[in-house]
Amino acid sequence: FGGDQPVYINIIRDPVSRFLSNYFFRRFGDWRGEQNHMIRTPNMRQEERYLDINVCILENYPECSNPRLFYIIPYFCGQHPRCREPGEWALERAKLNVNENFLLVGILEELEDVLLLLERFLPHYFKDVLSIYKNPEHRKLGNLTVTVKKTVPSPEAIQILYQRMRYEYEFYYYVKEQFHLLKRKFGLKSHNRKPSPRPEFFIPSPLETEEPINDEEEDDEKWLEDIYKR
């Protein structure tokens, strides 16, 4: 529209975790208030509200099947009609948009590292963001947004979800790998706590690139300048 190109940033979440959080939040809300969810789903029938998550997945209810599970890729893919069709075309276009248009796409599971990079890249907006995030008052507020009554589906249901969301996971792991490359490029040592063991029902992630970054390949500040010019 004739103005300066904005700097795009975003954070994505493990697809199954995102789906489960949304499924139960729409039904039961979070700790901020008993009726919080009712604002978003005032017309949900009781039998739908208390629909068992395993039944929803195993019996292929619309809420637990595509295209509703195809959520992250369409957002990054854009407005083309094919962006709403689960497949390689939308996946590759979403990857291209991440590479060409975004300063940073982080991983929610590594939020503290995301904040550290944002402070490095955009200090005018994110100075001291990690200390703000760790402030006890902020943590108290954050704890109130935890979804209540969330349960874990059966291993069989999780496997079915994973298959239905395979393109979402391919995109998630691609973004995660790019994020880890970026962290190593800027010498960021993770501030995250040691991750807890991944539950057995989760599919292990593909091996991620561990090759060291060639520091002579691209100057850090020039890389940031190039991003701003896009």
Side-chain angles (χ1 to χ4, degrees):
F1 299 101
D4 294 334
Q5 180 75 351
V7 176
Y8 288 100
I9 59 175
N10 215 316
I11 301 175
I12 65 173
R13 184 179 184 181
D14 178 279
V16 166
S17 294
R18 190 211 67 81
F19 164 74
L20 294 178
S21 183
N22 181 65
Y23 183 90
F24 290 102
F25 178 76
R26 291 181 68 247
R27 286 162 169 77
F28 309 115
D30 55 31
W31 293 106
R32 287 175 293 179
E34 186 69 25
Q35 301 303 316
N36 184 269
H37 60 289
M38 298 295 290
I39 299 173
R40 292 169 173 78
T41 57
N43 298 318
M44 182 178 284
R45 300 187 305 274
Q46 286 297 94
E47 60 269 25
E48 182 182 359
R49 192 174 304 281
Y50 291 97
L51 176 65
D52 183 271
I53 183 68
N54 291 300
V55 173
C56 184
I57 296 168
L58 298 176
E59 297 188 11
N60 205 26
Y61 279 65
E63 186 176 0
C64 298
S65 58
N66 282 316
R68 293 193 187 181
L69 295 180
F70 194 59
Y71 178 88
I72 304 173
I73 289 176
Y75 181 90
F76 286 90
C77 178
Q79 302 304 314
H80 193 286
R82 293 185 68 182
C83 289
R84 305 295 178 269
E85 301 171 8
E88 291 289 337
W89 190 92
L91 169 64
E92 294 305 317
R93 183 167 177 139
K95 290 180 181 178
L96 183 66
N97 282 333
V98 167
N99 292 336
E100 293 189 348
N101 298 310
F102 281 82
L103 172 66
L104 172 69
V105 180
I107 300 297
L108 183 63
E109 292 77 13
E110 301 175 31
L111 180 57
E112 291 189 11
D113 290 342
V114 175
L115 298 178
L116 284 172
L117 284 177
L118 286 173
E119 184 176 23
R120 171 70 182 273
F121 297 161
L122 301 169
H124 179 73
Y125 299 100
F126 290 97
K127 184 179 180 181
D128 296 328
V129 64
L130 192 58
S131 61
I132 296 171
Y133 172 71
K134 289 185 173 182
N135 181 283
E137 287 301 314
H138 175 274
R139 304 295 286 186
K140 181 180 179 181
L141 178 63
N143 289 337
L144 293 176
T145 65
V146 175
T147 302
V148 300
K149 298 185 180 180
K150 184 161 60 174
T151 60
V152 177
S154 68
E156 180 186 3
I158 288 287
Q159 293 290 338
I160 291 175
L161 271 183
Y162 182 84
Q163 290 301 318
R164 292 175 183 171
M165 303 175 82
R166 61 189 182 276
Y167 292 113
E168 295 277 275
Y169 268 102
E170 189 169 341
F171 180 74
Y172 172 78
Y173 288 131
Y174 175 80
V175 169
K176 186 175 183 179
E177 182 178 26
Q178 298 305 306
F179 179 62
H180 287 174
L181 287 170
L182 195 60
K183 288 202 298 183
R184 291 200 295 275
K185 179 180 179 63
F186 286 91
L188 177 63
K189 294 182 179 180
S190 178
H191 285 65
N192 293 325
R193 299 171 185 167
K194 185 176 180 181
S196 57
R198 181 177 283 229
E200 292 181 1
F201 55 78
F202 274 5
I203 305 297
S205 62
L207 292 177
E208 295 164 1
T209 305
E210 293 295 339
E211 293 82 359
I213 302 300
N214 185 351
D215 291 334
E216 298 178 357
E217 184 175 318
E218 188 175 14
D219 177 75
D220 289 353
E221 300 305 324
K222 183 178 184 304
W223 177 84
L224 283 173
E225 290 176 4
D226 290 343
I227 287 286
Y228 288 127
K229 291 176 182 177
R230 290 176 182 174

